[in-house]
Amino acid sequence: MVLHHQEAGSGHPVLVIHGGAEDASMIEPQARALAGQGCRVVWYDRRGTGRNRTGDWPTDRGDQHADDAAELIRHLGLAPATVVGFSSGGVVALALAQRHAGLLREVIAWEPAALGMLPDADATHAAIMAPVEAHLSACPEDWEGAWRVVLTVLSEGRADLGSPEVRAALRNAEPAVRDDARQLTRRAFGPGDLPAGLVTLAVSERPDPMHLDIAERLAELIDRKPVRVPGADDHEVYLSRPDVLATWIGARRS
């Protein structure tokens, strides 16, 4: 199955992978900003999300998502492609590097949400998900409410649940909880999983401790320190200020 996708620009091929509770429409400004850097950019709705709400939910912590991305690269003749993945989309990008390195020129994983890399990963994940599962037990199928609980837990109560960004994300609440929160973020990588020289781990100038810890543990596997992107002041800078990462990625190619 070739997933619903969009394309803009010409030049070096770039595949963009969105994060949890996002879809192609939400990362379109970032994709078009990258196209403005002289790239042929393709972005898409991940399986179960946006216009690809097939109900065929991945259950393998990212393998199916990686294979979907590989199929899209082959179908569109993008190889060798640069792949840019955001947050849990960064986990997909890393899984793609692990499973389909021959299709890729580079993988840029932006603050990948691979909680499986943390010490006591299972306990950490269980603590995050406990109130979410409690909410779903009390209110079955209330995925929007469950996603609000996820945001509340991760932000330690600081999330603005009425913001336009959160309201936009609620349309993808079910895949965000069923796929990203429950299992994709639990993925871990070990020695030899990530090809040497292929992966770049990118973080904001002042990343939060969890994202930095994950990035540094992944960096040990590839012997390359995480890169702090100038001007990137937030985990979701790719949604709020797409020029920041587009300029940085464009400068890397010049």
Side-chain angles (χ1 to χ4, degrees), residues 115 120-134 153 181-182 186:
L115 273 65
D120 300 320
D122 288 342
T124 299
H125 184 265
I128 292 171
M129 291 303 296
V132 181
E133 300 297 354
V153 172
R182 277 181 172 164
R186 297 180 66 191

Side-chain angles (χ1 to χ4, degrees), residues 140-202:
E141 303 299 314
D142 180 17
W143 301 107
E144 292 188 5
W147 183 244
R148 290 189 180 97
V149 174
V150 172
L151 295 177
T152 299
V153 172
L154 292 178
S155 70
E156 297 180 334
R158 294 188 297 272
D160 179 2
L161 300 181
S163 70
E165 294 79 11
V166 171
R167 291 200 300 271
L170 289 178
R171 63 176 175 259
N172 299 305
E174 183 178 5
V177 175
R178 292 183 62 156
D179 185 5
D180 296 73
R182 277 181 172 164
Q183 48 104 14
L184 178 56
T185 53
R186 297 180 66 191
R187 191 179 185 106
F189 299 88
D193 284 347
L194 302 176
L198 188 66
V199 173
T200 296
L201 296 158

Side-chain angles (χ1 to χ4, degrees), residues 157-249:
R158 294 188 297 272
D160 179 2
L161 300 181
S163 70
E165 294 79 11
V166 171
R167 291 200 300 271
L170 289 178
R171 63 176 175 259
N172 299 305
E174 183 178 5
V177 175
R178 292 183 62 156
D179 185 5
D180 296 73
R182 277 181 172 164
Q183 48 104 14
L184 178 56
T185 53
R186 297 180 66 191
R187 191 179 185 106
F189 299 88
D193 284 347
L194 302 176
L198 188 66
V199 173
T200 296
L201 296 158
V203 298
S204 60
E205 289 186 312
R206 292 179 296 277
D208 71 61
M210 183 179 72
H211 287 132
L212 181 59
D213 192 4
I214 292 170
E216 288 180 338
R217 291 175 186 278
L218 287 166
E220 292 176 2
L221 301 178
I222 59 173
D223 197 26
R224 297 175 69 181
K225 292 183 179 180
V227 178
R228 299 198 183 213
V229 178
D233 56 1
D234 182 72
H235 177 65
E236 295 182 339
V237 67
Y238 58 93
L239 297 179
S240 60
R241 297 171 58 208
D243 58 302
V244 172
L245 294 183
T247 300
W248 174 71
I249 292 171

Side-chain angles (χ1 to χ4, degrees), residues 10 42-43 45-46 56 68 82 85 93 105 117 129 153-154 157 165 175 188 195 209 232 235 249:
S10 61
V42 173
W43 66 105
D45 293 313
R46 280 172 23 203
D56 181 14
D68 286 343
T82 292
R105 179 174 295 181
M117 297 299 300
M129 291 303 296
V153 172
L154 292 178
E165 294 79 11
H235 177 65
I249 292 171

